[in-house]
Amino acid sequence: MDMKKFGTICCFVLMNINLFASPASRSDTLDIRKTKIEMNITDFVSKNIIGKSSLLIKSKMNNVQQVLLDIEGLSVDSVISSGQSLAFTHTFQTLNIQLPNTLNQNDSVLLNVYYHGVPIADPQWGGFSYVGNYAFQMGVGFNAQPHSFGRTWHPCFDNFVERSAYEFSITTSNDKMAVCNGLLIDSISNPDNTITWHWKLDEEIPSYLASVAVCNYVFVKKVLTGINGNIDALIACEAVDSNKVNGSFSHLQESFSMLEQNFGPYLWPRVGYSLVPFNAGAMEHATNIHIGKPFIDGSLNYETLIAHELSHHWWGDLVTCHHAGDMWLNEGFASYCELLHQEYTYGNKAYLDAMKANHFNVLAKAHVSDNGYKAVANIDSLNTYGATVYNKGADMIHTLRSYLGDSLFFNGLTAFLNQYQFQDVSTIQLRDFLSNYTGKNMNPFFDNWILSPGFTHFSIDSTQITQNGTIFDTKVFLRQRKHHSTDYYSQVPLELGFYDEQMNLHIHSLEFSNRCLEFNVQLPFEPKMIVIDPLYKISDAITEEKKIITGLGVSNFTQAKIKLFTKGFLLGQNDSTLIQVEHHWVAPDRFKSPAAANGYILNDVRYWRVTGIHLENIKGILQFDYDGRNNNNYLDSNWVKLNSEDFIHLFYRKDASEEWQIANDSLKVGALNDGYGSVFAKEIKAGEYCLGIKNINYTDPIITDAPSGGCSIVLSTSPLVDDNHASDFIIYPNPALNEINIHFAKNEDRELVVELFHLNGQLLMNKKIHSAQKDYNLQLPSVKAGFYFLKINDFKTNQIRFEKLIIE
């Protein structure tokens, strides 16, 4: 499903001696082989449905005496088996049926469940809805537990594991059509001016992928060319919307061909979409995608939404995540297929542009909308359908592609889908399969990028270039830092880009582990610009942009958060300038000495690096904006409140070997305390830039991870001091109300001191913790809403961690 366009399971299988408490264990006990739904959907006034579901159930073990099904919001009238009425109870969403005979392994029973009522919708997203002359089901509920929401219109095992073949006989008034999964077998006109629509899907699907949509539909038919021959695509819409359908679906063939080319042939009997009055995205019901009418407007504005939903017929329908915590296997891959659609339809530049825009949004917003930095896998149920799963999931899959290369990436994923088609899968299964298929150990990738929160960050501390005849001996000192991650990443394939004077790019590859690395290379030219990851293959905590400047004007580096105003351009032998601007989403190194700081506090979350070729051609200014307003996702909200904004300056250094100094700058503010303004560098030169604000009474809690001045120096001296994000524990929630939780990676005895500081440095709380548990709840003192710092000293590991805390 796609929801980006707007914004304890209590059913068990009871055996004679065991109550199975998980949906997976229930499906290990019984198997619903087929579900046939007969339903009357003609009452658009009181919005009642009348249904009969016949479930053919096969036992997987001995001595089963009861069956528990999920059905919620509807009244169950009776349960019949072999002409006999069965005893049952129906409480909330649990239908407990007493079987007429004990089932042993491989025994089967056919249960006919009769029910009626007004089906329910989820208050946030999904469920069954009547809107105008439409009645339709969206198979998940964002607020529902579990999120699978087939139980709103038919009895089922409502989980991601159980799969069943489906058959539908839906009766509507004679001016409407019912569209369901699979193929239309026939339609029968009845004497009471109704029509019964008969659909059948032999391929097995989970309950949440079963669907029905009723309206005065007509079909817009398209014939798609596929690997195994032509396949019909039926798009159900009102006749008045047929022209819009033709326009918005004009690239459906491209999406279909891209998916088959990358992940193997389409294995379903048809492609299908049904337009429904839903303004919050779409739902990937197998062969009958329900897509919101607002997104089918005749334009191609939402072609990636159409591609996203179709891609679920590989990722989400063909293979389905084993549980909601692994939803990235459904939604992360479908979101990544949006990028692949751009690549296939419009070329590599379109792919890179979409990928970089997504990466920027992940770094800027995912932790805000999902209430913290989270791992893509094992996501909590409150964020199953959040930005971490969708957007960060796609971001990490882009990096996986870079790790493997296109051949291993696409062939490995196609082989995975073939191996597990029509089954549920887990993150660990994907990891292990790719390791075996590719011959590469995928544990480091999955441990770092998928199973852990946050990001890594790579930077160039400094360089040394020595000419030796026609050869230039080049040393590049690289550093890895953590952006809300728990560990430094290991075995990361990185590329370094070396540009010559003619702006030609020469790439050298390396593998990065640990914290610092010295890379040595002999080049037949003097490198004029050196950058990490020039082809944007790794999704670390940097967003960057390159531009070629050829004249006067304004250049907006949106994803690097800088504007360049070219006031003068020197023409000569070189008539263009290449410039790269990088926005680093980590705190800059702190001052090397208090004297250099002179009371200034550097920004706590970001800095910039500017590099280029023929920068001497440009005369102009650079604009750096700071924004501490809430609508900027708190990017500068903590730092900018340390003092009045007229105490802000821009700082500059060539690289990590130098001290920060106030740049040749000027400040432009609106109101002095509105948290928003700009600082201008009056000259453009290569180096690092960051913002600082003066507050002589404030103690900077951030400790740079290279206090000696960079990896080139630290490598030859003492071990590195850990940075402000190093730890084996996670703190949540943030923002908090009156308490926080500290979750440790493992059970072990530990001694901590937790201190809470006001922004002015005042100590508000000092709490000693001696615990061997993985989870510790800590009550906060009564303070005003605002921004604070937590300092956590772990005496067992000698780690000190500082964490910004928002108290609401």
Side-chain angles (χ1 to χ4, degrees):
M1 81 206 62
D2 195 306
M3 36 66 71
K4 299 175 294 181
K5 313 302 178 184
F6 60 130
T8 313
I9 297 177
C10 58
C11 297
F12 313 105
V13 172
L14 181 62
M15 294 172 44
N16 61 327
I17 56 173
N18 256 334
L19 188 65
F20 286 89
S22 76
S25 64
R26 176 167 40 160
S27 292
D28 288 340
T29 306
L30 297 170
D31 181 18
I32 302 177
R33 302 295 298 154
K34 185 172 181 177
T35 302
K36 182 177 181 180
I37 301 173
E38 301 172 58
M39 186 168 289
N40 184 296
I41 306 179
T42 59
D43 185 354
F44 279 71
V45 177
S46 61
K47 302 178 181 179
N48 272 282
I49 62 172
I50 302 172
K52 170 192 174 185
S53 287
S54 302
L55 295 87
L56 179 61
I57 300 177
K58 182 178 180 180
S59 179
K60 293 183 175 182
M61 60 194 318
N62 294 330
N63 209 25
V64 178
Q65 297 177 353
Q66 298 167 316
V67 174
L68 272 73
L69 298 172
D70 303 328
I71 182 167
E72 182 178 352
L74 299 169
S75 297
V76 177
D77 303 310
S78 62
V79 180
I80 308 294
S81 179
S82 299
Q84 177 183 351
S85 294
L86 304 185
F88 68 89
T89 59
H90 184 202
T91 305
F92 183 43
Q93 67 186 51
T94 305
L95 176 61
N96 185 344
I97 303 169
Q98 303 296 315
L99 294 175
N101 300 297
T102 298
L103 295 181
N104 291 318
Q105 187 173 4
N106 295 324
D107 289 345
S108 295
V109 63
L110 180 64
L111 300 178
N112 298 298
V113 182
Y114 296 81
Y115 54 97
H116 72 280
V118 178
I120 61 174
D122 186 271
Q124 182 180 357
W125 200 104
F128 199 107
S129 299
Y130 283 87
V131 180
N133 63 333
Y134 288 82
F136 60 97
Q137 158 74 356
M138 305 293 273
V140 301
F142 284 7
N143 266 354
Q145 294 293 337
H147 293 305
S148 52
F149 220 27
R151 62 187 180 274
T152 63
W153 71 297
H154 74 288
C156 54
F157 290 174
D158 212 7
N159 58 52
F160 297 107
V161 174
E162 185 63 36
R163 285 176 172 263
S164 171
Y166 275 85
E167 192 169 351
F168 309 87
S169 292
I170 309 298
T171 299
T172 70
S173 57
N174 60 9
D175 61 336
K176 290 183 171 61
M177 176 193 295
V179 185
C180 300
N181 310 82
L183 297 176
L184 180 61
I185 306 303
D186 55 41
S187 59
I188 300 173
S189 296
N190 303 311
D192 59 352
N193 294 320
T194 63
I195 301 177
T196 298
W197 304 88
H198 181 196
W199 294 83
K200 187 179 181 184
L201 180 69
D202 292 327
E203 290 76 14
E204 295 184 347
I205 58 173
S207 57
Y208 79 101
L209 294 179
S211 70
V212 62
V214 174
C215 187
N216 55 327
Y217 282 126
V218 298
F219 283 127
V220 175
K221 180 178 178 180
K222 295 180 179 293
V223 179
L224 303 176
T225 303
I227 292 175
N228 293 332
N230 292 339
I231 187 94
D232 288 343
L234 300 179
I235 299 121
C237 65
E238 294 184 269
V240 68
D241 293 324
S242 58
N243 287 333
K244 293 179 181 179
V245 165
N246 283 318
S248 292
F249 282 85
S250 60
H251 284 166
L252 182 61
Q253 177 67 64
E254 284 82 353
S255 294
F256 186 79
S257 297
M258 174 274 294
L259 290 162
E260 286 208 319
Q261 173 182 295
N262 289 331
F263 303 117
Y266 189 75
L267 298 180
W268 303 89
R270 71 175 173 101
V271 171
Y273 293 80
S274 292
L275 273 62
V276 295
F278 189 73
N279 63 1
M283 178 65 209
E284 67 271 13
H285 309 115
T287 70
N288 187 30
I289 296 161
H290 289 179
I291 190 165
K293 288 182 63 177
F295 311 111
I296 309 303
D297 58 3
S299 75
L300 291 171
N301 292 336
Y302 301 101
E303 63 180 303
T304 56
L305 171 60
I306 293 171
H308 177 112
E309 299 306 323
L310 183 60
S311 72
H312 277 304
H313 287 74
W314 287 261
W315 298 100
D317 294 3
L318 185 63
V319 298
T320 304
C321 61
H322 182 72
H323 53 72
D326 272 340
M327 187 56 66
W328 78 282
L329 295 171
N330 293 20
E331 299 299 345
F333 273 96
S335 298
Y336 184 68
C337 287
E338 297 182 39
L339 309 183
L340 294 179
H341 171 85
Q342 298 290 78
E343 182 177 38
Y344 185 92
T345 308
Y346 300 107
N348 182 254
K349 183 181 183 302
Y351 168 85
L352 287 176
D353 288 345
M355 180 277 298
K356 290 190 287 185
N358 179 62
H359 181 54
F360 176 86
N361 286 330
V362 167
L363 286 171
K365 301 176 182 179
H367 61 286
V368 178
S369 62
D370 288 355
N371 194 28
Y373 292 86
K374 302 182 184 299
V376 168
N378 302 320
I379 196 76
D380 60 275
S381 64
L382 295 178
N383 295 288
T384 302
Y385 299 102
T388 299
V389 166
Y390 284 72
N391 304 93
K392 187 182 177 185
D395 204 19
M396 300 300 96
I397 294 167
H398 165 74
T399 300
L400 174 62
R401 181 180 178 180
S402 300
Y403 264 64
L404 293 177
D406 277 10
S407 178
L408 289 179
F409 175 76
F410 288 112
N411 290 335
L413 293 176
T414 300
F416 176 77
L417 293 172
N418 289 336
Q419 176 74 26
Y420 292 103
Q421 61 184 249
F422 301 107
Q423 298 179 52
D424 55 281
V425 295
S426 69
T427 295
I428 301 306
Q429 281 177 296
L430 177 60
R431 180 198 68 188
D432 294 345
F433 182 91
L434 289 177
S435 293
N436 291 330
Y437 182 88
T438 65
K440 295 176 178 286
N441 179 10
M442 299 307 298
N443 287 41
F445 172 84
F446 277 82
D447 287 347
N448 294 329
W449 301 89
I450 303 299
L451 296 168
S452 299
F455 298 81
T456 188
H457 172 273
F458 297 104
S459 62
I460 296 176
D461 258 19
S462 58
T463 60
Q464 294 178 9
I465 302 171
T466 304
Q467 185 172 0
N468 185 9
T470 60
I471 299 298
F472 291 83
D473 294 321
T474 304
K475 293 183 179 181
V476 184
F477 299 98
L478 302 167
R479 194 197 319 180
Q480 180 180 184
R481 280 180 274 188
K482 293 181 286 187
H483 181 59
H484 299 274
S485 58
T486 54
D487 294 300
Y488 294 100
Y489 290 14
S490 63
Q491 302 178 34
V492 180
L494 272 187
E495 292 182 344
L496 282 180
F498 300 85
Y499 287 84
D500 60 27
E501 190 169 12
Q502 289 72 42
M503 303 184 188
N504 298 309
L505 173 62
H506 307 261
I507 294 178
H508 289 261
S509 300
L510 59 97
E511 186 178 274
F512 205 130
S513 297
N514 302 318
R515 304 183 61 173
C516 291
L517 182 139
E518 177 183 321
F519 182 80
N520 297 288
V521 63
Q522 292 184 323
L523 301 172
F525 60 89
E526 182 181 4
K528 296 298 183 179
M529 185 171 83
I530 305 174
V531 298
I532 296 175
D533 191 25
L535 302 182
Y536 313 105
K537 292 184 176 183
I538 299 295
S539 298
D540 65 345
I542 300 173
T543 51
E544 66 267 59
E545 290 185 63
K546 295 185 185 74
K547 291 183 185 292
I548 294 180
I549 310 299
T550 58
L552 307 182
V554 180
S555 301
N556 192 357
F557 295 78
T558 304
Q559 291 165 13
K561 292 182 170 287
I562 280 184
K563 285 184 180 179
L564 167 65
F565 297 85
T566 305
K567 303 292 187 179
F569 196 88
L570 301 179
L571 295 177
Q573 182 178 3
N574 303 300
D575 59 359
S576 60
T577 293
L578 174 65
I579 182 170
Q580 172 163 307
V581 181
E582 303 163 1
H583 184 268
H584 294 251
W585 299 75
V586 297
D589 288 337
R590 316 322 276 173
F591 291 103
K592 299 180 189 300
S593 70
N598 193 27
Y600 279 92
I601 308 299
L602 299 179
N603 192 285
D604 57 344
V605 295
R606 58 176 175 154
Y607 71 96
W608 292 264
R609 179 178 184 252
V610 175
T611 187
I613 303 174
H614 308 309
L615 287 180
E616 67 278 2
N617 290 352
I618 300 177
K619 303 299 179 185
I621 58 177
L622 292 170
Q623 177 181 331
F624 301 82
D625 296 333
Y626 61 88
D627 193 342
R629 302 172 298 179
N630 289 354
N631 63 3
N632 195 47
N633 303 312
Y634 305 103
L635 190 59
D636 297 313
S637 292
N638 170 55
W639 168 84
V640 79
K641 292 178 174 62
L642 293 179
N643 209 336
S644 173
E645 292 168 45
D646 53 353
F647 286 91
I648 292 175
H649 264 296
L650 182 67
F651 286 79
Y652 169 84
R653 69 181 187 182
K654 178 176 69 70
D655 57 33
S657 66
E658 293 188 350
E659 179 62 278
W660 292 104
Q661 297 180 351
I662 293 178
N664 181 10
D665 67 348
S666 63
L667 175 68
K668 179 181 179 181
V669 301
L672 284 179
N673 293 298
D674 66 354
Y676 181 75
S678 302
V679 185
F680 298 89
K682 297 179 181 179
E683 54 184 330
I684 301 168
K685 55 183 180 179
E688 295 178 354
Y689 298 81
C690 71
L691 297 169
I693 189 168
K694 195 161 190 174
N695 186 333
I696 59 175
N697 296 318
Y698 179 77
T699 300
D700 189 352
I702 296 177
I703 303 171
T704 185
D705 69 349
S708 306
C711 284
S712 57
I713 299 174
V714 172
L715 278 173
S716 59
T717 59
S718 60
L720 294 171
V721 178
D722 214 342
D723 75 343
N724 59 304
H725 294 306
S727 69
D728 65 345
F729 49 85
I730 300 171
I731 300 167
Y732 69 97
N734 191 1
L737 291 174
N738 52 19
E739 64 181 18
I740 58 171
N741 296 295
I742 304 176
H743 174 74
F744 299 93
K746 54 188 176 182
N747 288 322
E748 63 179 17
D749 189 60
R750 57 181 56 83
E751 294 180 7
L752 304 178
V753 171
V754 182
E755 296 174 308
L756 181 70
F757 291 90
H758 191 275
L759 292 182
N760 62 13
Q762 179 186 0
L763 178 64
L764 303 173
M765 181 190 74
N766 182 289
K767 177 70 175 179
K768 293 182 180 180
I769 299 175
H770 183 89
S771 175
Q773 302 301 312
K774 292 180 69 173
D775 293 279
Y776 188 88
N777 178 269
L778 183 64
Q779 297 295 313
L780 299 173
S782 178
V783 295
K784 293 182 179 180
F787 291 82
Y788 298 84
F789 277 112
L790 277 174
K791 177 183 177 182
I792 302 177
N793 193 338
D794 187 341
F795 291 97
K796 291 287 187 179
T797 62
N798 293 319
Q799 292 179 342
I800 298 176
R801 172 173 172 179
F802 291 88
E803 184 85 2
K804 289 180 299 180
L805 180 66
I806 303 169
I807 299 180
E808 297 179 331

